[in-house]
Amino acid sequence: MILTALQVEYDAVKGRLEDLTRDVEGGTIFERGRLPGTAWTVVLAQTGPGNDNAAVVTKHAHDLYRPRVLFFVGVAGGLKDGVGIGDVVIGERIYDYREKQSPDGGHYRPREWEAPWWLLQHVRHMAFGREIAGRVRVAPIASGNVVLDREDSELGDLLRGNYDDAVAIEMESAGVRRAAQIVGGIDTLTIRGISDKADGGKRRADAGGSQEIAAWSAAAVAVRILASLPPENGTPTLPDGGRVGGGSRAGSVSQELLGASAAGADESGRVKQGKPPAAPPPRRRQPLLSRIRIGRRAQPSRRTRATLMACGAVAVVAVLVAVLLKTTADSDTSDKNSTLESCSLSQARVKLHVAASIDLSKSLSDAARAYRPRRSPDGTCVKIEVSSVNSGTAMRALRQGWPEDDGPRPDVWSPAGSEWIDLARVSSAGRQLLPEGEPQSIVTSPLTIAMPEPMAQTMGWPEATIGWSDLAKWAEDPTHFWGEHGNKQWGALKLGKTNPDYSTSGLNATIGAFYAKTGTTGELSIRDVDSSANQAFVRNIEKSVVHYGDTTLTFLANLRAADDRGGREEVLKYISAVTVEESAVVAYNKGYPCGAYSYARGCERRGKPKTPLVSFYPKDSDPASDHPYVQLGGMSKAKQKVSDDFLAYLHSTDVYRKYFAPYGYRTYKNKVLPRTGIDQDHGALEAPQVKGYDAPDGKVLARLQKVWASLRRRANVLVVIDTSKSMDDKVPGTGRTKMELLQQAEPALFGGFAATDRVGLWEFSNAANLGGKHHYLPLVDIGPMGEKLTDHRGLTRRAELKDEVNGLVPDGATGLYGTVDAAVDSMRKDYDPSAINAIVLLTDGRNEGVPDTPTLKDVLARIGSPDKRVRVFTVAYGSEADQQDANGRTVLEEIAAATGAHAYDAKDPKILSEVLTSVISNF
């Protein structure tokens, strides 16, 4: 059994398993697979954050599967100067620092759990080889229910005073170890990769991809250990044939850190020549299964044992040959497409940081892993790190010179489209960082107007073509559109479009609409953007938008949820058309529910949708996402050489076929290669007839974004904020409460609304705390943001909303279900058919401390009605927020999905401003 807390940890382990099957038991998803090259079956589950969750899932896993060993694998904060990001700590003992103070407030009384002695002896004499990104040590780990992100804090003082030998801190292992102790008979090991230094830099480290690096390292160590343990009686062996305890090729694991320095490396990462350290003598230990028995069984005869041993020897040889062939093939693929010598991860002391658009980052990360670290001509060993950054967000950071608050500045930037480069160059800081000239593409994908197949066939697909002018005409009377085409049951014409301030598809769709109206293929001018006739044309298209979003993942995930829930009829109720890249259509039809190969929760590949999407290519102008590879200024010569080589590697045909073609991307030359799935069977056309154009410059694009704010569909939004007592809890590492951080993030909550948008505010906790009538209390009635309020000292609604949020005081319980029910009912009474009608729900808890009615089932049934659709965008706020329901999804995800909206995760309250920016991009 391998348990993880976070999705990034889960994905790092899952990627190493084969032949996966899924079980849903009591609401928890368990995936069972095979560890290649071994006889081990591995069951994988995600606990969510916190020791309590981890304990419950551990007990559940034990009852269902009776595992022989249990590993908890994930990331942690480092507590010692000698531990770096990517290093791995194996828990010698686990300290539970929760609630250990004596009743009189005096000394702390530590509780701890030792790891199994035989496992510690085993791992201390293992060799982990080159596949581990960092160094490995065996040491104590502290575990509690809060995140440490500042040294000068009460928690920091507690750890230094009572657990000063702890090397890492995390939030789950104490719960796992306590549950394992209670059920008995499970040998348990904690394996943690260091993702931050618990010193205030967690946010920047995470933004730079440190969690992915740490999770990958921890998973690599975990499977290496497991592969060295025999499920059957016998001497433990490593996958490469070495005996456990029989020596070291990269240095044996002890209390000391391992890596290039332990192996004797110079500053460039080259291993010094010399006599290797003496290997410790082989140690014998009791085989695993002679100590762990599940019932009694008859022993095989001597002849049977001989036969089994012979068959086993053949099987082992076959497995080793298969592993060797696969390793050789991967090595050949990497080496033949690179001109630089490879080097080991442990030797890599320099990182080339690539910040990629959300849709491409996972593919690019996989390609970078296969590329392996490379040695530049001067001998420096450089590894590639890929992080996922929204194109619009990265553009704004570059305009400001990439401030420290935005995380580590990348060496290479790959937005989804070149338009973002032109927008970043508008500022002098952006021009200094960005090189002149046009960068090369990694891959390309044209923009499409995608429709559910039944609707598209009604409009003549695949023979017919449509364009932006058609959308503008259709939007003149969206209510009766489908009735006029013989399908009244489909309701109104509903368009999905992303926000051009953040999303490439949204920006390209807006550009395309302006070009369609001007009828030109020449460069768009500011005069064209300011033309009242052109603006009226674009405004007409925006009228039929159901809501916006910061990425297309939101729309496609909702579309797939509708398909899973009710098939064709639910899909056709949700949306009529959505502007997305061709790659998203192909990936969606292949079973990627978010239209991309993604790390995001819920985006894992599954079966194909019942109702596929198909692509129309706008006939009157068709922008494309060209995914440029932009090398920013200031790179060292070593990084520059590896960066150039990496781009050439990405352009090779076999790398394209393996890492990009499966997800619907065309080559960097905009070509479709045979047998890549970019075809009519997957909703695409290989050679569509489209009209090209000259891309506008940065100043025109900046003007277009500003004008769009006055053209987009209006918002009619109710903000509902949880003010229960738990919002008064301090957030570790900040010195502030959850409510104080929310009040600090108020500009992100209301700043994105225009003066004509209609916004209101409720708070909620429980009836007894709010006057005894309802669990909620209206604070500001819904109305235009710029309106002056006579009953609020003549302040504008915007100013009053700010004042009310700053005056919120936490107290009481959490009447979540009753509040959601009432809020949706209120919005339906105040429904504006010309606006985006929605609720933004921020809560740090769950429905508790209130009567049992209404139930979640009651609420979901009422709020999910398509009549007067009110979308509820939920924000899970704080580490204890939300809980899973019987279907494995969280309650807030269920509420959002039932209304065709999206659930956002702000369980780390310190990133609330970023999350709220994404939420408000829907309006």
Side-chain angles (χ1 to χ4, degrees), residues 297-636:
R297 60 183 180 186
Q299 297 297 311
S301 67
R302 185 176 300 173
R303 178 178 297 177
T304 302
R305 286 199 298 269
T307 303
L308 289 172
M309 289 175 66
C311 292
V314 173
V316 167
V317 171
V319 167
L320 288 174
V321 169
V323 170
L324 181 61
L325 288 174
K326 183 179 187 304
T327 303
T328 303
D330 288 345
S331 177
D332 289 346
T333 300
S334 175
D335 292 340
K336 76 179 182 181
N337 295 301
S338 170
T339 61
L340 300 178
E341 172 194 354
S342 65
C343 47
S344 72
L345 282 167
S346 62
Q347 294 172 327
R349 291 294 178 264
V350 175
K351 298 174 184 176
L352 181 76
H353 179 196
V354 180
S357 61
I358 292 172
D359 54 342
L360 195 68
S361 60
K362 185 70 162 64
S363 294
L364 205 57
S365 181
D366 286 355
R369 189 173 300 155
Y371 176 74
R372 304 202 308 272
R374 294 284 156 178
R375 198 178 299 284
S376 70
D378 69 356
T380 304
C381 183
V382 181
K383 67 178 177 180
I384 311 284
E385 270 186 13
V386 178
S387 62
S388 176
V389 183
N390 179 286
S391 297
T393 301
M395 179 273 291
R396 285 167 177 77
L398 285 165
R399 270 188 183 172
Q400 301 173 45
W402 204 284
E404 185 177 335
D405 287 347
D406 290 306
R409 181 169 71 82
D411 301 298
V412 176
W413 178 36
S414 180
S418 290
E419 295 85 355
W420 300 108
I421 303 172
D422 295 325
L423 281 163
R425 283 178 176 149
V426 168
S427 75
S428 58
R431 288 193 295 274
Q432 289 176 7
L433 287 173
L434 292 160
E436 296 182 358
E438 297 301 319
Q440 295 187 64
S441 297
I442 300 174
V443 288
T444 60
S445 187
L447 184 69
T448 74
I449 301 171
M451 299 181 76
E453 189 175 47
M455 290 177 165
Q457 289 172 340
T458 297
M459 305 310 297
W461 190 86
E463 292 80 13
T465 58
I466 63 173
W468 307 111
S469 54
D470 295 303
L471 284 185
K473 184 178 179 180
W474 298 351
E476 290 175 359
D477 185 14
T479 304
H480 301 100
F481 176 78
W482 287 120
E484 292 172 356
H485 287 80
N487 290 284
K488 185 178 179 180
Q489 73 278 12
W490 293 346
L493 175 74
K494 296 178 285 289
L495 177 64
K497 181 175 178 287
T498 48
N499 189 318
D501 288 339
Y502 301 95
S503 166
T504 306
S505 66
L507 180 59
N508 280 339
T510 308
I511 293 169
F514 271 100
Y515 269 108
K517 176 57 178 172
T518 62
T520 180
T521 58
E523 192 169 313
L524 204 67
S525 68
I526 289 180
R527 180 180 296 179
D528 293 325
V529 175
D530 287 343
S531 162
S532 58
N534 294 346
Q535 289 184 13
F537 176 86
V538 175
R539 185 183 289 109
N540 233 15
I541 294 176
E542 303 290 334
K543 283 192 331 186
S544 58
V545 172
V546 294
H547 70 87
Y548 299 98
D550 57 339
T551 70
T552 57
L553 272 65
T554 298
F555 285 106
L556 296 179
N558 285 342
L559 193 70
R560 182 55 194 256
D563 189 78
D564 291 342
R565 187 168 60 246
R568 166 178 162 150
E569 294 309 312
E570 284 294 318
V571 166
L572 302 183
K573 289 176 185 176
Y574 172 59
I575 211 160
S576 306
V578 58
T579 54
V580 295
E581 283 81 10
E582 175 189 68
S583 59
V585 174
V586 173
Y588 180 84
N589 291 333
K590 286 185 175 183
Y592 293 93
C594 299
Y597 180 41
S598 170
Y599 286 111
R601 175 180 166 86
C603 293
E604 303 87 356
R605 189 178 186 182
R606 60 188 78 163
K608 295 180 180 180
K610 305 180 192 74
T611 307
L613 284 175
V614 299
S615 300
F616 284 103
Y617 300 82
K619 61 186 178 183
D620 39 14
S621 77
D622 188 33
S625 295
D626 58 346
H627 295 280
Y629 186 89
V630 189
Q631 302 184 74
L632 303 181
M635 266 198 282
S636 66

Side-chain angles (χ1 to χ4, degrees), residues 689-737:
Q689 298 299 311
V690 296
K691 183 178 181 180
Y693 67 93
D694 294 330
D697 66 24
K699 291 181 179 179
V700 174
L701 290 170
R703 180 62 182 167
L704 182 145
Q705 285 184 323
K706 186 174 182 179
V707 164
W708 176 82
S710 66
L711 305 179
R712 64 172 176 79
R713 192 174 182 185
R714 297 297 95 209
N716 189 43
V717 175
L718 176 62
V719 177
V720 181
I721 297 178
D722 181 350
T723 57
S724 59
K725 183 63 177 176
S726 57
M727 289 289 285
D728 205 27
D729 293 344
K730 284 280 184 75
V731 176
T734 68
R736 295 174 179 266
T737 66

Side-chain angles (χ1 to χ4, degrees), residues 778-839:
L779 299 176
V780 180
D781 292 337
I782 291 180
M785 288 289 277
E787 180 185 10
K788 288 189 176 181
L789 306 176
T790 56
D791 55 341
H792 289 279
R793 309 180 307 283
L795 294 175
T796 63
R797 182 169 274 100
R798 186 185 301 278
E800 183 57 26
L801 287 166
K802 177 179 180 179
D803 282 358
E804 289 288 356
V805 168
N806 288 333
L808 293 175
V809 178
D811 198 12
T814 314
L816 175 63
Y817 298 161
T819 299
V820 171
D821 202 20
V824 171
D825 186 59
S826 174
M827 287 296 293
R828 283 182 176 150
K829 292 174 182 175
D830 196 27
Y831 192 83
D832 182 355
S834 64
I836 298 170
N837 296 271
I839 292 167

Side-chain angles (χ1 to χ4, degrees), residues 249-251 257-265 270-273 275-277 346:
R249 287 159 298 285
L257 292 172
L258 293 181
S261 58
R270 292 185 183 276
V271 179
K272 300 175 185 176
Q273 300 301 314
K275 186 176 179 180
S346 62

